[in-house]
Amino acid sequence: NPERGYLPMTSLSWLTARPIAHRGLHDLTRNIWENTASAFSAAIAGNYTIECDLQYTADDRAVVIHDHNLLRLCGIDSDIRDWTSTELTKLSVGGTADKVLCLPELLRLVNGAVPLLVELKGSRGRDAGFSEAVLRALAGYRGRLALMSFDRWLLSELRDLACPWPLGLTAEGQTQEELAAHAATMALGLDFISYCSEHLPNPFVTGLRAAGVPVIAWTIRTAKEARLAYEKADQITFAGFRPSPGSAGKAED
């Protein structure tokens, strides 16, 4: 729905105008870790759209982190939903100086410099209030931003809450059953789809693209993969190399 959003826009062309840095422009956990202020600052400097992940906390806040468990990123074998945002934002990511960010911190950092593609990571049965918390944090943000999720229940809640931001489905799979389920979710009135590149092309996504629905392919890790992905999608989410930031369809090693 092109009328959603705080900024006037006649299309979602901004969403596919430049490559999307997967969890920010990190270096595969060597020095700059994913979903950190350092990774997001590097993406801004490179003029890339930023993809990032949100999880829900015990005190009804959204924090910027991918995993449900803190072990890989923070060295603590514990479910993130058992922690408050205050506790989480004191934790180091990967032993670096970067701490876990809350959503308002991310928004202040980016401040509209580049678009944001924000994925809500659901935990079935533990998400009551997650959608509302995200929308509260986003209220008044003036940059270009879209929300997406694998989880139909979160997307349905966001639609029911009259989410003012473009909404998309994150998806994978190739079986008829999987594609039918994705079609049912898109029928909620979603604006775009972000699809696993290994499962493209398929008739469902090809049909969406032919109908003008923006298609993003994830996660692209080489220039060769990028060239192939641009034949099946309008834009890429990438990691491990730097595509040309200027336009879709160009990639550099």
Side-chain angles (χ1 to χ4, degrees), residues 91-102:
L91 297 181
S92 169
V93 180
T96 69
D98 279 300
K99 307 295 185 183
V100 175
L101 294 175
C102 62

Side-chain angles (χ1 to χ4, degrees), residues 71-86:
L71 184 59
R72 179 178 69 92
L73 295 166
C74 300
I76 301 169
D77 189 4
S78 182
D79 192 309
I80 196 168
R81 279 168 173 73
D82 293 331
W83 292 63
T84 68
S85 58
T86 300

